[in-house]
């Protein structure tokens, strides 16, 4: 039996490629932009779009996408810099610790089923107060509970 926390897994690479390129082109539907889609698109961009400097460009990609579907990036909603950068570090850590040769879907599904793919993974490093702060939303803040891997 699946729990409510079980991630939606991907059947193949094409859906992940669509999410990654759709983020860049800002042509995804708002309902496509789930937690799993965030991680899948970022993994795709890290592995297949080496022409992008995600440390510099991912914040703008997400902000512009949010705005393209009517979202707002302000002090309480939309883009969250610390969460984005924690997951970006987590994805890089996951990729560095898994072997080469898996398909994109196998890689993303493995990530989603790992600790680093869990929605609450940043809360292992941050108190709720720090992670939900405006400062954390607007810029990266260092963890207050444990260091990032």
């Amino acid at each position: 039996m699946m729990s409510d926390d079980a991630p939606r897994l991907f059947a193949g690479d094409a859906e992940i490629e669509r999410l990654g390129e759709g983020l860049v082109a800002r042509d995804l539907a708002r309902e496509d932009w789930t937690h799993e889609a965030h991680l899948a698109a970022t993994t795709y961009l890290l592995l297949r779009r080496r022409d992008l400097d995600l440390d510099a460009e991912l914040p703008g990609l997400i902000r512009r996408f949010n705005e393209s579907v009517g979202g707002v990036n302000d002090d309480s909603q939309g883009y969250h810099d610390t969460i984005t950068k924690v997951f970006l570090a987590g994805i890089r850590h996951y990729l560095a610790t898994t072997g080469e040769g898996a398909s994109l879907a196998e890689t993303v599904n493995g990530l989603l089923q790992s600790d680093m793919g869990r929605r609450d993974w940043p809360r292992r490093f941050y108190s709720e107060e720090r992670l939900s702060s405006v400062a954390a939303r607007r810029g990266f803040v260092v963890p207050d509970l444990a260091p990032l891997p």
Side-chain angles (χ1 to χ4, degrees), residues 74-139:
D74 64 16
D75 289 348
S76 63
Q77 60 187 328
Y79 179 75
H80 192 296
D81 197 58
T82 299
I83 289 175
T84 297
K85 290 178 179 167
V86 168
F87 275 113
L88 182 57
I91 294 168
R92 283 184 169 132
H93 181 73
Y94 179 81
L95 293 173
T97 59
T98 57
E100 298 276 329
S103 72
L104 184 60
E106 290 168 333
T107 300
V108 169
N109 289 339
L111 168 68
L112 292 171
Q113 294 172 315
S114 75
D115 285 343
M116 287 162 271
R118 293 179 49 92
R119 294 181 201 302
D120 64 352
W121 188 66
R123 286 175 170 74
R124 295 175 183 209
F125 312 102
Y126 292 88
S127 64
E128 184 61 32
E129 180 181 359
R130 179 167 283 204
L131 195 59
S132 64
S133 70
V134 172
R137 181 173 289 282
R138 291 293 179 195

Side-chain angles (χ1 to χ4, degrees), residues 6 9 13 31 39 44 50 55 59 61-62 64 76 81-82 84-85 95 107 110 122 126-127 134 141 144-145:
L9 302 179
D13 292 359
E31 58 270 12
L39 298 186
Y44 167 80
R50 296 181 190 268
D55 293 305
L61 289 171
I62 294 172
R64 287 188 298 276
S76 63
D81 197 58
T82 299
T84 297
K85 290 178 179 167
L95 293 173
T107 300
Y126 292 88
S127 64
V134 172
V141 296
D144 60 341
L145 298 180

